[in-house]
């Protein structure tokens, strides 16, 4: 048994890591799919999962972790927000695409590579630092699970289109505002 096994079902980092594994499995499923309608459906699921995951991190996990992390670790939070912005840009590009469209495969490949890079940094650097703070990760995870359930229910209302990616991004404010970094007037 690992330390991971002893964490509660609502432990924040356990929930986030489970999301990471789910998306990784979807990328693997995409790579073995041989039907274009199935590929589009899988990419839609990837995009929706990533959108919801990013939202719970940006609205709950990142702000709470920023509050408790040392000043030296604030750049890590900023980088996570910027990486999310890049991922959202790729998701927007995929929205409405079909597997036969030019650059479709390239966008999915780059999205996978960005996700893998982001996951590696979070799991090897960010999460361990947050776990060493006094942050109540069980209570935080419960809030995150509630928001995730709400967002997934909302996402499920957007109908799928056979053979086409339907990636609905959630409305949001500017990156600086999401990251809590509004510039002071000079």
């Amino acid at each position: 048994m690992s330390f991971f096994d002893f964490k509660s079902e609502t432990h924040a980092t356990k929930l986030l890591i489970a999301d990471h594994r789910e998306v990784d499995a979807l990328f693997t499923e995409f790579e073995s799919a041989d039907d274009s309608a199935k590929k589009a459906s899988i990419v839609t699921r990837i995009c929706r999962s990533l959108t919801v995951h990013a939202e719970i991190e940006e609205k709950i996990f990142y702000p709470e972790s920023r509050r408790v992390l040392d000043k030296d670790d604030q750049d890590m939070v900023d980088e996570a927000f910027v990486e999310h912005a890049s991922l959202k840009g790729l998701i927007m590009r995929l929205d409405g695409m079909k597997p036969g469209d030019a650059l479709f495969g390239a966008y999915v490949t780059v999205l996978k590579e960005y996700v893998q890079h982001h996951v590696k940094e979070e799991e090897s650097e960010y999460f361990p630092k947050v776990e060493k703070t006094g942050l109540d990760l069980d209570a935080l995870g419960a809030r995150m699970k509630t928001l995730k359930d709400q967002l997934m229910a909302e996402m499920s209302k957007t109908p799928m289109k056979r053979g086409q990616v339907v990636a609905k991004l959630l409305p949001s404010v500017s990156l600086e505002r999401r990251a809590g970094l509004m510039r002071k007037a000079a």
Side-chain angles (χ1 to χ4, degrees):
M1 271 197 190
S2 70
F3 174 69
F4 186 75
D5 296 326
F6 292 104
K7 295 176 183 173
S8 75
E9 290 304 310
T10 59
H11 190 278
T13 58
K14 185 174 183 175
L15 289 171
L16 295 173
I17 290 169
D19 285 353
H20 293 166
R21 297 302 169 272
E22 177 188 327
V23 169
D24 189 50
L26 287 170
F27 277 118
T28 300
E29 187 179 341
F30 170 80
E31 290 167 352
S32 64
D34 53 5
D35 172 75
S36 68
K38 186 172 183 174
K39 285 184 177 198
S41 173
I42 294 166
V43 173
T44 294
R45 290 170 41 214
I46 289 168
C47 292
R48 289 178 179 188
S49 293
L50 289 172
T51 297
V52 169
H53 180 82
E55 190 75 4
I56 64 173
E57 282 186 326
E58 290 179 13
K59 284 208 167 150
I60 299 173
F61 188 77
Y62 292 168
E64 289 297 320
S65 62
R66 181 187 295 285
R67 191 176 52 76
V68 298
L69 287 170
D70 293 336
K71 186 179 180 188
D72 294 343
D73 294 325
Q74 296 300 309
D75 285 348
M76 193 170 35
V77 182
D78 295 343
E79 289 171 16
F81 273 106
V82 171
E83 287 172 356
H84 276 193
S86 296
L87 291 170
K88 289 175 183 180
L90 290 168
I91 291 169
M92 285 182 0
R93 291 286 192 171
L94 283 163
D95 186 36
M97 289 189 86
K98 297 175 183 170
D101 290 347
L103 301 179
F104 178 83
Y107 280 123
V108 175
T109 298
V110 172
L111 181 64
K112 178 183 177 184
E113 290 170 354
Y114 262 69
V115 168
Q116 287 175 334
H117 168 80
H118 182 74
V119 164
K120 182 179 176 185
E121 285 186 347
E122 280 191 338
E123 292 184 12
S124 66
E125 298 172 34
Y126 195 159
F127 294 172
K129 287 186 181 195
V130 172
E131 289 177 352
K132 290 178 184 172
T133 69
L135 191 57
D136 183 345
L137 293 170
D138 288 314
L140 188 66
R143 288 175 46 211
M144 291 165 50
K145 183 173 180 344
T146 298
L147 179 58
K148 179 180 179 178
D149 291 346
Q150 292 169 351
L151 294 172
M152 290 304 284
E154 184 180 318
M155 285 281 185
S156 70
K157 293 176 185 174
T158 303
M160 304 275 269
K161 292 183 182 175
R162 183 167 170 74
Q164 184 176 350
V165 175
V166 180
K168 176 186 171 191
L169 285 177
L170 299 167
S172 65
V173 296
S174 72
L175 175 60
E176 291 79 10
R177 197 169 235 160
R178 284 194 316 268
L181 301 172
M182 293 307 295
R183 292 192 178 127
K184 295 178 181 173

